[in-house]
Amino acid sequence: MKGLAYVRLCAAIAALGGLLFGFDTAVISGTTDALAAEFDLGSATLGFTVASALIGTLIGSIAVGRPADVWGRRAVMFVLAILFLVSAIGCALAWSWSSLVIFRLIGGLAVGGASVVSPMYIAEISPAARRGRLVAVAQFNIVLGILLAYFSNYVVSLFELGPLTWRWMLGVEALPAAAYFLLLLLTPRSPRWLLARGLEAEARLVLERLTPGTGESTDALVVRIKEAIDSERRRSGTAFFRRAHARPILLAVAIAVFNQLSGINAVLYYAPAIFRSAGAGDNAALLQSAGLGSVNLLFTIAALMVIDRVGRRPLMLLGSIGYIVSLLATAWAFYTQGVAGEGGQGFSPLGSWVVTISLVLFIASHAFGQGAVIWVFISEVFPNELRARGQALGSFTHWVMAALISQTFPMIAEWSGGHVFAFYAVCMVGQLIWVLMVMPETKGIPLEEIQRRLLSPGASSGRDG
């Protein structure tokens, strides 16, 4: 197999790291009540249990950059597959709260690493004209993993396994983890990594399989990549935090911070609890969460279809507006439609409908905007020599914010759900301003040309073409 078909196959396999990323992120949502009962957890301890994976994610995202540079992207993906497998089996067999937290942390290491390495690897094997769509396959798989987690939780709940239910929910992840490890055997090492390490003969062999039908010759591509690597080394060596790298660093950090200030992880982790507060029963809440996952998947597919035609900035603009409208509507429902019930805070019939519709709009806005763009954009803005560390920084920032949001959401929502959603809405106004004023467009531009534009002293801002 050669050309675009081979590129697509390799991208799809690498993106399975994204599927496991999404599955691991969302599967905990179906177990929160059972874990609270099993281990006698209060809201703060439950928040820590959910966020414990994110501690591992923080470590994995920042620590994976150097191994990805030294050992290669593909080798690191093999290690991540093993960590996902160990985490899934360990969580299913957890004998205490502390053991559960440890195995969740191991899964977090894999999630953090996958959020860095999968999109980076895909960006480095993809032709410029199709890079956005192919890197966004990783986001598609994240969303697919989230949807599969929601449906998996719902299906497992139907078996009425009693106290074993949460163990099966968490253990199912072992199956895709094993498949990921085996399928990685079909992929090559990144040609850009190979050239950066002086392994030109192997890089040429890989590029000869990747380039047919892409409109780029192997010789021209090798020359361009080597020139970009040499230029970056002459400019600043391999030091990362330098004035010359300030713009790509700030762009990656900003998009990662805004991603989590939308409240997306709070909704993903606590969707069943939010739906229960809106009046749904336990199984219905899990099914409605799966419905959110379906919306997420559909709008991610829509974004995949257009990201290389309309660009990254238009998707971010539309997503920002959708965020603001949906979050303000949800906050309004909490402020004006909340009613006291036997189980605590609930909603009037109108409030229940507003919350449900607003969450659907929120997920659609995320999938079509930030969700489709973030990992594509971060994988594009750094030069070849710094891409692993740059992707790691963006991912680390993302997961720091995710940990803060996941830890604080149960406590703030218990006090006032309206306040937390209003805060997220204000943050998304900030994102809208950032997209309009600062964010550059990167669609269809070779990675080495993006590097030249962003690292040049007179690089322009938001309307770069």
Side-chain angles (χ1 to χ4, degrees):
M1 185 183 294
K2 289 186 176 182
L4 286 174
Y6 186 54
V7 173
R8 291 189 184 107
L9 174 65
C10 295
I13 293 171
L16 287 177
L19 185 143
L20 288 158
F21 166 174
F23 194 100
D24 195 90
T25 297
V27 73
I28 193 72
S29 68
T31 69
T32 52
D33 287 350
L35 294 177
E38 177 84 12
F39 300 112
D40 192 24
L41 307 178
S43 60
T45 315
L46 177 60
F48 178 78
T49 305
V50 172
S52 62
L54 298 177
I55 298 172
T57 300
L58 295 178
I59 299 170
S61 63
I62 200 66
V64 77
R66 180 59 66 182
D69 276 340
V70 176
W71 304 335
R73 288 61 160 132
R74 180 174 178 262
V76 169
M77 287 192 286
F78 275 111
V79 174
L80 298 178
I82 293 171
L83 292 179
F84 276 123
L85 184 62
V86 170
S87 172
I89 295 173
C91 286
L93 300 177
W95 54 91
S96 65
W97 176 72
S98 59
S99 66
L100 175 68
V101 168
I102 289 170
F103 284 115
R104 286 284 295 161
L105 189 146
I106 291 172
L109 290 172
V111 169
S115 69
V116 173
V117 178
S118 291
M120 176 172 57
Y121 176 84
I122 297 170
E124 292 185 349
I125 66 170
S126 302
R130 294 172 174 83
R131 187 179 60 245
R133 184 177 298 181
L134 289 169
V135 175
V137 169
Q139 173 61 23
F140 171 84
N141 269 16
I142 293 171
V143 172
L144 180 60
I146 292 169
L147 177 59
L148 289 175
Y150 285 149
F151 271 117
S152 174
N153 285 346
Y154 174 66
V155 170
V156 171
S157 73
L158 296 179
F159 285 93
E160 298 182 353
L161 299 171
L164 295 178
T165 299
W166 67 268
R167 296 182 182 275
W168 279 97
M169 287 180 174
L170 298 178
V172 166
E173 189 179 351
L175 297 176
Y180 180 40
F181 182 90
L182 295 174
L183 288 170
L184 281 171
L185 296 170
L186 302 176
T187 62
R189 296 198 283 184
S190 162
R192 283 178 165 85
W193 178 84
L194 289 168
L195 286 171
R197 290 293 167 271
L199 302 172
E200 183 172 336
E202 184 179 348
R204 283 183 174 275
L205 290 174
V206 173
L207 287 170
E208 284 168 4
R209 293 194 67 186
L210 295 173
T211 53
T214 64
E216 299 178 278
S217 72
T218 299
D219 290 339
L221 194 52
V222 167
V223 170
R224 193 177 72 219
I225 294 170
K226 289 175 70 175
E227 286 177 348
I229 292 170
D230 292 341
S231 174
E232 170 58 19
R233 285 173 175 169
R234 286 195 304 270
R235 191 192 336 266
S236 57
T238 56
F240 184 73
F241 290 104
R242 298 176 62 94
R243 184 184 296 273
H245 304 147
R247 191 168 180 223
I249 287 173
L250 291 175
L251 288 171
V253 169
I255 197 171
V257 168
F258 282 126
N259 181 279
Q260 286 303 303
L261 286 178
S262 68
I264 181 63
N265 268 36
V267 173
L268 292 178
Y269 287 144
Y270 298 104
I274 295 171
F275 281 124
R276 278 192 290 270
S277 73
D282 288 345
N283 282 1
L286 291 173
L287 188 58
Q288 285 176 317
S289 299
L292 282 187
S294 300
V295 171
N296 203 355
L297 184 66
L298 289 173
F299 278 86
T300 298
I301 293 172
L304 279 172
M305 300 294 290
V306 300
I307 191 170
D308 280 325
R309 290 206 295 270
V310 304
R312 288 53 161 154
R313 292 181 73 243
L315 298 187
M316 289 289 289
L317 288 171
L318 288 173
S320 297
I321 294 168
Y323 273 148
I324 294 166
V325 172
S326 59
L327 288 166
L328 287 177
T330 304
W332 175 85
F334 271 92
Y335 285 136
T336 67
Q337 302 298 310
V339 296
E342 189 174 324
Q345 174 75 40
F347 292 98
S348 67
L350 174 61
S352 295
W353 276 106
V354 169
V355 169
T356 300
I357 294 170
S358 295
L359 288 181
V360 169
L361 175 59
F362 174 85
I363 290 293
S365 301
H366 174 78
F368 197 71
Q370 261 274 15
V373 173
I374 177 173
W375 304 116
V376 175
F377 186 73
I378 294 175
S379 73
E380 292 175 325
V381 296
F382 289 99
N384 293 319
E385 279 289 284
L386 303 177
R387 187 164 296 115
R389 281 169 284 174
Q391 192 86 24
L393 175 66
S395 183
F396 176 76
T397 304
H398 170 275
W399 291 115
V400 167
M401 296 304 299
L404 291 174
I405 295 297
S406 301
Q407 175 68 48
T408 58
F409 179 81
M411 295 177 284
I412 299 175
E414 187 177 59
W415 168 52
S416 173
H419 288 350
V420 72
F421 287 106
F423 171 74
Y424 296 153
V426 171
C427 293
M428 291 303 93
V429 173
Q431 174 177 279
L432 180 61
I433 295 170
W434 177 78
V435 173
L436 288 169
M437 302 299 295
V438 179
M439 182 182 179
E441 182 57 73
T442 56
K443 70 161 183 168
I445 307 173
L447 292 175
E448 290 71 33
E449 175 63 16
I450 296 172
Q451 167 184 337
R452 186 190 66 78
R453 295 186 187 189
L454 293 185
L455 296 184
S456 62
S460 59
S461 63
R463 285 156 289 281
D464 292 356

